[in-house]
């Protein structure tokens, strides 16, 4: 049985529908941003970092693209992913500013917003590809989502030395391809590519981008 059945063709969205879909993606991201801020206070110790991790936030953009699959093209899925990620940043830091003690420096919000403009479209398209008919694109879409969890597993294990969190993200790296692939071959290919993406994402994000910004 396929884990993710093919899309049943449905009418494409009109121009107004596309605007509404991207607005809903932003609103959903906004709500999730508030929830991740709250979850940071609910989760104990180092686990609170899981709540607003880049991997968790990337799921929102992926979901936005996946939910629009079959009704929009790649550009709209990319914009929806961007709106979801930007909404997360605004919701998270907006809640911190209004309800908590404030965000202080604008450096962190601007860094995350800048990353949203990169990660949002990428994962929006990944979600769209996962729901599509092309096997190679499905593999890339699944591997992108699994790989971002893998990169965080490396960061938790190598830099922060949080073993439990590292194992949790590693489990997500494995489970995403296994649960989201449609065939055994697709699951195996997605897992292999996700492992490669994990290392690449870690080197680019943590070793290049964030280390440069934080120096």
């Amino acid at each position: 049985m396929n884990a993710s059945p093919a899309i049943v063709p449905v009418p494409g969205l009109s121009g107004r529908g596309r605007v509404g879909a991207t607005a809903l993606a932003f609103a959903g991201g906004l709500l999730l941003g508030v929830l991740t801020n709250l979850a940071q206070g609910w989760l104990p110790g180092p686990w609170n970092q899981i709540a607003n991790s880049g991997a968790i936030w990337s799921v929102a953009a992926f979901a936005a693209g996946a939910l629009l699959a079959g009704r929009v093209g790649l550009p709209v899925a990319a914009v929806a992913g961007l709106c979801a990620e930007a909404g997360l940043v605004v919701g998270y830091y907006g809640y911190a500013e209004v309800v908590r003690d404030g965000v202080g420096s604008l450096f962190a919000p601007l860094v995350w917003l800048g990353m949203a403009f990169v990660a949002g479209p990428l994962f929006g398209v990944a979600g769209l590809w996962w729901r599509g008919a092309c096997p190679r694109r499905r593999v890339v879409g699944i591997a992108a989502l699994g790989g971002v969890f893998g990169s965080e597993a490396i960061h938790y294990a190598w830099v922060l030395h949080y073993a439990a969190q590292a194992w949790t993200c590693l489990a997500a790296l494995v489970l995403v391809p296994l649960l989201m692939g449609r065939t055994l071959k697709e699951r195996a290919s997605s897992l292999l590519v996700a492992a490669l993406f994990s290392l690449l994402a870690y080197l680019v994000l943590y070793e290049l981008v964030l280390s440069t910004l934080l120096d």
Side-chain angles (χ1 to χ4, degrees):
M1 182 180 294
N2 292 340
S4 50
I7 303 170
V8 177
V10 292
L13 293 177
S14 64
R16 182 176 296 180
R18 292 169 187 165
V19 172
T22 53
L24 283 174
F26 180 81
L30 196 69
L31 177 60
L32 287 173
V34 173
L35 290 176
T36 54
N37 192 304
L38 289 169
Q40 266 202 309
W42 297 334
L43 296 175
W47 285 103
N48 62 22
Q49 296 197 24
I50 292 279
N52 70 323
S53 71
I56 296 297
W57 282 19
S58 297
V59 173
F62 188 94
L67 290 172
L68 291 173
R71 306 196 69 181
V72 301
L74 187 146
V76 178
V79 173
L82 168 60
C83 289
E85 291 292 286
L88 275 160
V89 177
V90 174
Y92 180 87
Y93 286 103
Y95 183 85
E97 179 66 30
V98 174
V99 180
R100 296 190 183 275
D101 298 327
V103 298
S105 170
L106 292 177
F107 178 75
L110 290 176
V111 167
W112 279 104
L113 190 60
M115 293 176 65
F117 274 81
V118 178
L122 289 177
F123 284 97
V125 171
L128 184 77
W129 281 0
W130 168 58
R131 295 289 307 283
C134 176
R136 290 183 179 179
R137 289 184 174 182
R138 287 201 306 269
V139 166
V140 172
I142 295 169
L145 185 61
V148 74
F149 281 99
S151 69
E152 295 225 335
I154 297 173
H155 182 64
Y156 282 127
W158 186 259
V159 178
L160 300 179
H161 306 294
Y162 294 159
Q165 289 79 1
W167 282 112
T168 299
C169 288
L170 183 62
L173 162 66
V174 175
L175 288 173
V176 165
L178 293 182
L179 296 177
M180 298 177 67
R182 298 181 185 178
T183 65
L184 181 60
K185 180 180 178 180
E186 189 169 289
R187 294 183 183 104
S189 299
S190 299
L191 184 57
L192 176 61
V193 178
L196 296 175
F197 280 1
S198 299
L199 181 58
L200 179 61
Y202 175 78
L203 292 175
V204 171
L205 177 59
Y206 291 102
E207 294 296 325
L208 180 62
V209 177
L210 289 182
S211 64
T212 301
L213 290 172
L214 295 176
D215 282 345

